[in-house]
Amino acid sequence: MATANPAKSDAASRASIARTAPESAVAQAQPAVSVAAPSRREFLYYIWGASIALMLGQFGAATIWFAFPRFREGEFGGVFPFDPVELPSTGDAPFFVASGRFHVAHTDGGVMALYGVCTHLGCLPKWAPTNERFECPCHGSKYRADGTWIEGPAPRGLDHFPVRIVYSDGSEAESAGLTPIVLAENKQIVRIEVNTGRRILGPGHDVTAL
Ligand code: FES
């Protein structure tokens, strides 16, 4: 029976150690990386966070939407330029601007813009020249030239829109609430604006004159 050569066995063992040593070193230098899947709670946190972010985004968009004008000039809801040439003389019939849904009236009290919609149920009162008043065709409400209520089921006078008048010398006048603009004497009007984006509720029944 042949016996193993001890010297030869030692040499083989040393060669084996020399081959495996670097591999062990690499294995120690690169620890195993394990990516744990998010737990159910973490997943719910992510969903919750995304929902909050979406909500804040929508809120920001809505804020920007309200902060900037949504209507263009000459579009109902925006500012209408009104040609000063069309301004009625004192006591004349109001001038109706159909696209803006308003009447420009000029009474002894001054200039005003009246919303052309009845305050009862929303019909469109017409100017009746023979009676010199607005008359609603639906249920008979009647209004004076300045929009104040005369009779009928309407709960108040016609609503107003703010008016701004610019004169040739650069001065300006603006209506305040239901108070009309008294025109400046000896001044030429170069521009009139009616803001249909801000409706002022008409006067109640106890108010008989502006
Ligand atoms: S809608 Fe004008 S009186 Fe009724």
Side-chain angles (χ1 to χ4, degrees):
M1 189 173 179
T3 56
N5 184 345
K8 210 171 179 178
S9 177
D10 286 349
S13 177
R14 280 196 299 273
S16 171
I17 291 170
R19 271 201 312 275
T20 57
E23 293 169 7
S24 301
V26 168
Q28 286 176 359
Q30 295 179 345
V33 176
S34 63
V35 179
S39 66
R40 188 166 177 272
R41 173 174 293 187
E42 286 173 331
F43 180 72
L44 289 176
Y45 280 151
Y46 293 148
I47 295 292
W48 183 73
S51 302
I52 294 288
L54 185 66
M55 213 167 63
L56 288 176
Q58 288 177 335
F59 178 74
T63 302
I64 291 170
W65 174 258
F66 282 107
F68 291 97
R70 287 168 289 160
F71 302 101
R72 290 172 300 195
E73 184 177 275
E75 178 180 281
F76 185 74
V79 173
F80 274 73
F82 181 77
D83 189 346
V85 174
E86 310 283 9
L87 183 65
S89 298
T90 311
D92 281 358
F95 189 97
F96 183 53
V97 178
S99 54
R101 306 175 204 169
F102 61 84
H103 302 268
V104 173
H106 189 180
T107 68
D108 289 337
V111 174
M112 69 208 81
L114 303 169
Y115 188 29
V117 174
C118 184
T119 58
H120 180 221
L121 292 177
C123 289
L124 305 178
K126 299 276 186 303
W127 178 254
T130 47
N131 296 325
E132 296 192 329
R133 64 190 183 190
F134 294 102
E135 296 178 355
C136 183
C138 293
H139 312 101
S141 288
K142 297 176 179 59
Y143 308 88
R144 296 184 183 87
D146 60 8
T148 49
W149 174 90
I150 298 173
E151 65 182 36
R156 62 178 186 276
L158 293 175
D159 296 337
H160 288 218
F161 289 130
V163 178
R164 176 171 166 261
I165 291 180
V166 182
Y167 296 102
S168 57
D169 64 358
S171 59
E172 298 182 3
E174 285 195 64
S175 57
L178 295 170
T179 306
I181 297 177
V182 177
L183 296 183
E185 291 182 8
N186 305 320
K187 283 189 179 183
Q188 187 188 355
I189 299 172
V190 292
R191 185 174 175 83
I192 301 175
E193 292 176 350
V194 176
N195 184 359
T196 61
R198 195 160 67 83
R199 185 157 53 98
I200 302 157
L201 294 187
H205 289 176
D206 55 329
V207 179
T208 55
L210 290 175

